[in-house]
Amino acid sequence: MNSKLLRFGLLAVLIVAIGIAISYRDQFDAEALEMWLDGTGAAGPLLFMLIYAAAAVLFLPGSVLTLAGGALFGPVLGTLYNLTGATLGATLAFLIARYLAADWVERKTGGRMAQLKTGVEKEGWRFVAFVRLVPLFPFNLLNYALGLTRINLLHYIIASYICMLPGATAYTYLGYAGREAIAGGEGMIQKGLLALGLLALVAFLPRWIGRLRRRPSQTVDQLKQQLDQQADVLVLDVRSEEDFTGEQQHIPGARNIPLEALSGRLDELTDYLERPIVTVCRTDRRSAKAAQLLAQQGFGDVHVVKGGMTDWNEKGYPVE
């Protein structure tokens, strides 16, 4: 009972603190922070990392601090302090969520939410790495959400620290370049171009990672052999419902999610985050787009069936 009361009290304090922080977030000023930290001497870096960690817990914008870190400490030390502060804050939020609500979520979660949670836990550090490199969800909210899963804490910390490095480097350098521009430092054109290049690299990461995760296509013969061997593979038909039951019919056991609806129904496929999926359409244009979408959303074993239902029917393979 005491434990429940303690958790309830901590939760109430956290909610009040977040509410106060959010109500004053417009006054969260990087310039004032820089002026204050400039006068703290050797304690400045430690204070900065603690403030960054608190900001992550209280849903304050980390971008303000990241830019300030670059301006205050330069591109190298600034990246180190930003990354350490962000990881510390992410870990605190993770632990808070795990202590306050993980057991309750475990008891109450069911249906599709349970499937999603299970899929995330199966991915483990790979899921953490992916969402850090490809920020699908707000950073502060994601930290708490991951704490509600059974992902290993050490894996979470290491994957977060390493995979937040590209973004931290880019935005820290942007803060550094901005301060140099205001101060009229030398080589501003080169520094500005480098900052833009780093930002472009970070913006391109989702597409690049999606390509890395994409798997090669396969023929209908290979798919037929897999199905005959009762392999654990999901046949995902991305045609419309009319085409799925129309003239060409569909492969026995296939699941139909039209391409246009796929992005909104990904939670139905979380059991297959790391299990094989083959996408099928009339030929392979829509299925290729579906495979690209799945790869970008973290699905790690996606294949496209070349020739689709057209080739399948030409081979005389069974349909229903």
Side-chain angles (χ1 to χ4, degrees):
M1 186 66 179
N2 290 336
S3 177
K4 289 183 178 180
L5 285 175
L6 177 60
R7 291 186 185 190
F8 182 79
L10 289 174
L11 180 61
V13 170
L14 178 64
I15 291 173
V16 170
I18 291 174
I20 294 172
I22 291 176
S23 65
Y24 285 97
R25 68 185 299 161
D26 291 340
Q27 301 178 30
F28 191 55
D29 182 67
E31 186 175 347
L33 178 65
E34 290 175 27
M35 291 178 62
W36 181 72
L37 286 173
D38 268 338
T40 58
L46 178 60
L47 289 172
F48 175 81
M49 288 184 284
L50 291 175
I51 291 170
Y52 205 129
V57 171
L58 298 177
F59 284 82
L60 291 172
S63 57
V64 173
L65 284 161
T66 305
L67 293 172
L72 280 167
F73 306 111
V76 178
L77 289 177
T79 298
L80 175 64
Y81 300 151
N82 280 329
L83 195 55
T84 303
T87 304
L88 179 60
T91 303
L92 288 173
F94 180 93
L95 291 173
I96 289 169
R98 177 160 288 185
Y99 176 72
L100 293 181
D103 291 342
W104 181 85
V105 169
E106 189 72 30
R107 292 193 302 269
K108 298 295 183 180
T109 299
R112 291 181 182 176
M113 285 302 297
Q115 292 178 355
L116 178 61
K117 184 171 176 290
T118 300
V120 171
E121 290 168 351
K122 284 181 179 178
E123 280 262 276
W125 70 267
R126 290 170 295 184
F127 183 84
V128 178
F130 180 77
V131 294
R132 294 308 190 196
L133 287 168
V134 184
L136 302 172
F137 307 101
F139 172 74
N140 296 330
L141 181 61
L142 181 66
N143 298 330
Y144 282 99
L146 290 175
L148 301 177
T149 70
R150 292 176 296 198
I151 289 175
N152 181 276
L153 174 62
L154 182 60
H155 294 172
Y156 170 82
I157 294 171
I158 294 173
S160 293
Y161 197 91
I162 293 173
C163 296
M164 288 193 297
L165 178 59
T169 302
Y171 285 99
T172 301
Y173 195 89
L174 184 63
Y176 163 72
R179 180 158 185 170
E180 288 291 293
I182 294 172
E186 297 181 359
M188 279 315 305
I189 294 178
Q190 293 90 333
K191 291 175 182 176
L193 289 174
L194 180 55
L196 290 175
L198 288 171
L199 289 174
L201 178 62
V202 170
F204 186 73
L205 271 177
R207 183 182 297 272
W208 180 67
I209 292 169
R211 287 179 177 176
L212 284 181
R213 292 181 68 89
R214 198 182 310 165
R215 297 297 189 267
S217 58
Q218 64 183 54
T219 65
V220 294
D221 295 328
Q222 291 171 321
L223 176 58
K224 179 63 165 56
Q225 184 178 12
Q226 284 180 293
L227 296 178
D228 288 344
Q229 295 172 350
Q230 297 183 334
D232 179 24
V233 57
L234 171 64
V235 180
L236 182 63
D237 194 314
V238 295
R239 295 176 295 165
S240 66
E241 293 181 14
E242 293 79 9
D243 288 339
F244 185 69
T245 57
E247 178 185 355
Q248 287 190 324
Q249 300 181 297
H250 58 268
I251 298 170
R255 183 181 301 184
N256 178 224
I257 301 180
L259 176 62
E260 294 75 14
L262 183 58
S263 60
R265 296 174 59 181
L266 293 174
D267 59 332
E268 299 177 26
L269 306 176
T270 50
D271 284 348
Y272 285 87
L273 278 168
E274 287 298 324
R275 292 159 65 189
I277 299 175
V278 294
T279 58
V280 182
C281 65
R282 179 175 291 273
T283 54
D284 49 37
R285 293 181 62 184
R286 291 167 64 88
S287 54
K289 291 179 181 178
Q292 181 178 3
L293 172 63
L294 291 171
Q296 290 175 347
Q297 297 301 318
F299 290 83
D301 194 0
V302 184
H303 299 250
V304 177
V305 178
K306 293 190 294 186
M309 288 305 300
T310 300
D311 277 8
W312 184 272
N313 282 314
E314 287 180 358
K315 295 281 187 177
Y317 291 148
V319 293
E320 62 180 25

